[in-house]
């Protein structure tokens, strides 16, 4: 990483400033999981998105328990990974189309 701090500027005004970790922490303290598999029961936590499933968990223990529950219920899990939040994701989160802070 080249920068230690980022400033999101829109229409000549600084809308948000901070280091990557603090901006990411404010963006979403939850872990976003992407799951590929079959026979996955969709519930309030798990949403289908094309050929993958998305869900949010609070911590690694909750992630483990969710995957264990899916496997125990007959789901075939091929891949699970955390979504990495890019600086672009952060920018679009903090700045909406009108240039206002979200």
């Amino acid at each position: 990483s080249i920068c230690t701090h980022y400033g999101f500027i829109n229409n000549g005004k600084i809308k948000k400033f901070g280091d990557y970790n603090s901006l990411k922490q404010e963006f979403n303290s939850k872990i976003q999981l992407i799951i590929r598999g079959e026979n996955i029961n969709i519930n309030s936590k798990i949403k289908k998105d094309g050929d993958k499933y998305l869900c949010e968990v609070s911590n690694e223990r909750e992630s483990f328990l969710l995957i264990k529950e899916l496997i125990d219920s007959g789901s075939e899990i091929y891949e699970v990974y955390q979504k990495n939040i890019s600086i672009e994701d952060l920018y679009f989160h903090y700045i909406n189309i009108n240039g206002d802070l979200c």
Side-chain angles (χ1 to χ4, degrees):
S1 179
I2 296 172
C3 301
T4 58
H5 287 75
Y6 299 90
F8 299 138
I9 301 171
N10 196 12
N11 294 328
K13 296 180 182 175
I14 295 176
K15 298 294 184 174
K16 197 70 174 171
F17 180 81
D19 65 59
Y20 176 76
N21 287 332
S22 65
L23 292 169
K24 186 174 141 184
Q25 180 80 19
E26 277 186 57
F27 170 70
N28 190 349
S29 60
K30 296 200 176 268
I31 298 170
Q32 298 177 342
L33 296 179
I34 300 171
I35 304 168
R36 281 190 339 99
E38 293 183 19
N39 303 320
I40 295 176
N41 296 326
I42 299 173
N43 58 35
S44 61
K45 277 193 160 194
I46 301 174
K47 311 240 181 311
K48 186 162 177 57
D49 182 26
D51 65 341
K52 60 189 173 235
Y53 299 85
L54 309 173
C55 69
E56 291 184 342
V57 294
S58 298
N59 54 50
E60 290 181 354
R61 177 75 179 154
E62 187 179 345
S63 175
F64 166 76
L65 293 172
L66 174 73
I67 299 305
K68 183 178 182 325
E69 178 184 333
L70 289 172
I71 291 170
D72 290 346
S73 69
S75 298
E76 296 178 29
I77 305 296
Y78 305 138
E79 179 180 29
V80 177
Y81 58 95
Q82 282 183 246
K83 179 182 181 204
N84 291 324
I85 298 170
S86 70
I87 199 69
E88 289 84 8
D89 292 332
L90 292 172
Y91 174 81
F92 288 116
H93 171 74
Y94 287 117
I95 310 288
N96 73 18
I97 199 154
N98 297 321
D100 298 324
L101 198 57
C102 294

